[in-house]
Amino acid sequence: MTIDMDPYIFHVGHIGLRWYGLLFATAVVGGFWLAARETRRLGIPRQKFESIAAWGLVGGIVGARLFHVVDNPGVYLEHPWQALAVWEGGLAVYGGLVGGALTGAFRAWRQGVPLGRTADGAALGMLLGQAVGRLACIPNGDAYGSPTDLPWAFTYLNPASMVPPDLLGAPLHPYPVYELVFDLALLAALILLRKRASFADRPGLLFATYVIAYSTGRFALSYFRMENVWLWGLQEAQIASLLGAAAGVVMVVAIRGRQQAGATQIVTMSNSKTVEERASDALR
């Protein structure tokens, strides 16, 4: 598939609107809508959710841009002010997830909102936003894949895209499509799981499952991308995936441990009550 479209929809003087900006805004709106609907179902007040979402959005954008700049230092050392041009593309998903999760969790804690249920509801919105966000990467060319001879390859021709000049005209893996399909499949799976007792009775487990599953899928899909290698032959996203999967496992262990502790406490209280009842019966 040949992609020769201009990343800009239109220009007014020196100011232009990119397809990336329009689709990114659509991703934010779609993610907010789904997260708001799900958190309302879980009993989170709408006003408090909106405040948490606003904090998470700001933190997510800052984190996403920071991760991207760190992964491409040469470009931004030469043009440091370009680091602020988020509307042109270059937002790292993992940076957005980390920044958004931390700021959102902080705001939820300050408002006294149940963190586990809030995270479970937010996970669905985050995934939908990620999926739509990958559509923004197609005309922008900022998530290009590695060279391939597969018939469904993307071939970028427009020099205004973010594809490196030496890869223009070369067939590349359509990485945004790969992750789009994966994100939607994971979203469908989480929607099916969210009402099961094993998840509904364990706040935070759905979010932990999302973190583990996405990290695993992203690690594998990154082999179809061309990014800077950081350590042990792994790209930045793959290292982040390993850390994310580990964090998800820790969350699952903590959630199960908390539930077991609660069950033990209930049994202990029940046994104590039984002893007291027996003593009372003996006095009679």
Side-chain angles (χ1 to χ4, degrees):
M1 178 179 179
T2 299
I3 300 179
D4 192 22
M5 64 186 299
D6 191 337
Y8 287 93
I9 302 174
F10 62 82
H11 283 89
V12 177
H14 294 291
I15 300 176
L17 175 64
R18 280 180 175 257
W19 287 104
Y20 184 92
L22 177 62
L23 291 170
F24 178 79
T26 303
V28 171
V29 172
F32 176 86
W33 167 79
L34 183 56
R37 179 175 178 177
E38 186 63 13
T39 51
R40 182 170 64 249
R41 185 184 71 83
L42 294 172
I44 307 300
R46 176 63 180 258
Q47 185 175 5
K48 290 187 175 182
F49 164 74
E50 290 178 351
S51 177
I52 294 168
W55 277 63
L57 176 61
V58 173
I61 292 175
V62 172
R65 191 59 171 179
L66 182 60
F67 268 54
H68 174 74
V69 171
V70 169
D71 195 34
N72 300 273
V75 176
Y76 299 103
L77 285 175
E78 293 183 18
H79 309 283
W81 288 109
Q82 281 295 108
L84 302 177
V86 296
W87 54 88
E88 293 184 357
L91 296 175
V93 172
Y94 267 119
L97 296 181
V98 172
L102 290 177
T103 51
F106 173 76
R107 187 58 178 168
W109 171 71
R110 287 296 301 268
Q111 292 198 331
V113 176
L115 185 57
R117 296 200 180 280
T118 304
D120 287 343
L124 301 185
M126 291 165 70
L127 259 178
L128 180 60
Q130 288 170 234
V132 178
R134 281 307 177 194
L135 285 176
C137 297
I138 295 176
N140 211 43
D142 62 336
Y144 54 90
S146 56
T148 181
D149 57 0
L150 293 171
W152 55 80
F154 281 175
T155 302
Y156 286 89
L157 300 178
N158 198 307
S161 69
M162 296 184 70
V163 175
D166 59 320
L167 291 177
L168 289 175
L172 308 171
H173 276 289
Y175 178 82
V177 177
Y178 294 165
E179 188 170 333
L180 168 64
V181 172
F182 172 74
D183 289 344
L184 292 178
L186 180 55
L187 176 60
L190 293 183
I191 288 175
L192 293 175
L193 291 172
R194 77 192 198 285
K195 292 185 179 181
R196 292 192 177 185
S198 56
F199 286 87
D201 297 340
R202 295 171 177 168
L205 184 58
L206 193 75
F207 180 79
T209 302
Y210 153 66
V211 171
I212 295 172
Y214 178 76
S215 297
T216 302
R218 180 62 190 274
F219 182 90
L221 289 174
S222 290
Y223 282 110
F224 297 105
R225 285 195 68 169
M226 291 185 66
E227 293 183 318
N228 295 328
V229 173
W230 273 33
L231 186 66
W232 302 321
L234 300 177
Q235 303 172 22
E236 176 197 36
Q238 291 177 308
I239 294 174
S241 294
L242 293 176
L243 296 175
V249 171
V250 170
M251 283 188 279
V252 171
V253 172
I255 291 167
R256 290 183 179 276
R258 183 179 60 200
Q259 186 182 43
Q260 290 175 356
T264 301
Q265 185 177 9
I266 292 174
V267 170
T268 302
M269 293 175 61
S270 178
N271 290 339
S272 299
K273 184 177 180 180
T274 301
V275 171
E276 292 175 359
E277 289 176 348
R278 288 176 180 175
S280 178
D281 291 340
L283 290 174
R284 291 176 186 173

